[in-house]
Amino acid sequence: MPGTDATMDQTTDTADLDPGDETSVVVTAAAAVPPEQVWHTLVERTSDWWSTPYLAPDAEPMRLEAHLGGRVWSGSRTADGGTGQLHGTIRAFDPPERLEVGSVLVPGAYAGSITITVERTGLGSEVRVEQMARGRVDATVEERISTGWTQLLARLTDLADR
């Protein structure tokens, strides 16, 4: 059974930024399968684990184009690749170890990213998500991010374990 551990860490580079300008939320989960199986679920079954209630009301499923420069969006697949709301662009794609999505915004942020890493362990894999945001992110938004990723990783690892 997958386990999750959420930690929040707020850091500041005081040389250039006001306190509270950079927020980092880190969540980890264990999967009893190898990284390749977790990676397949992560990128090929995205809409199965990243869905309601972690999308805007009435939004279509979350999707990603599994390659460097690919889009991450909620919407439908069409002949031109898809329509809907763009959530970010893949700026690192290193199967089966690392996926980084840039231009991810949350309320109060002017920049952000999500980095997902999958590491082999003696019992399978550890999945780690770090969501970074620059700007004035309220503590309640941080808590929602942490809670959301904890639940999303539980879904991801559960699907990967099947």
Side-chain angles (χ1 to χ4, degrees):
M1 177 151 170
T4 59
D5 176 39
T7 58
M8 290 186 290
D9 181 26
Q10 186 166 345
T11 59
T12 304
D13 179 357
T14 56
D16 301 319
L17 306 170
D18 291 335
D21 192 53
E22 185 170 291
T23 300
S24 174
V25 176
V26 177
V27 179
T28 61
V33 295
E36 296 80 8
Q37 197 166 332
V38 173
W39 186 265
H40 173 80
T41 305
L42 173 70
V43 301
E44 299 296 330
R45 299 181 63 194
T46 308
S47 62
D48 291 340
W49 63 269
W50 195 342
S51 59
T52 331
Y54 305 104
L55 301 171
D58 300 321
E60 295 197 38
M62 187 66 76
R63 304 197 185 274
L64 67 84
E65 297 170 333
H67 59 82
L68 188 62
R71 298 174 298 162
V72 177
W73 83 101
S74 55
S76 60
R77 292 185 187 271
T78 63
D80 67 353
T83 60
Q85 180 180 357
L86 181 67
H87 296 279
T89 303
I90 297 175
R91 60 184 190 195
F93 189 79
D94 303 308
E97 299 169 356
R98 183 169 169 254
L99 173 70
E100 184 175 331
V101 181
S103 304
V104 177
L105 296 181
V106 296
Y110 59 85
S113 65
I114 296 170
T115 302
I116 302 173
T117 55
V118 184
E119 183 177 318
R120 188 175 305 278
T121 66
L123 299 175
S125 303
E126 179 181 83
V127 184
R128 179 181 189 271
V129 172
E130 180 175 16
Q131 184 159 352
M132 301 281 293
R134 293 188 83 104
R136 296 285 180 177
V137 178
D138 186 89
T140 59
V141 173
E142 281 186 67
E143 184 60 35
R144 286 196 327 248
I145 292 169
S146 179
T147 300
W149 277 116
T150 299
Q151 294 174 1
L152 286 171
L153 283 186
R155 289 179 179 184
L156 170 67
T157 56
D158 183 53
L159 281 171
D161 285 344
R162 291 186 204 171

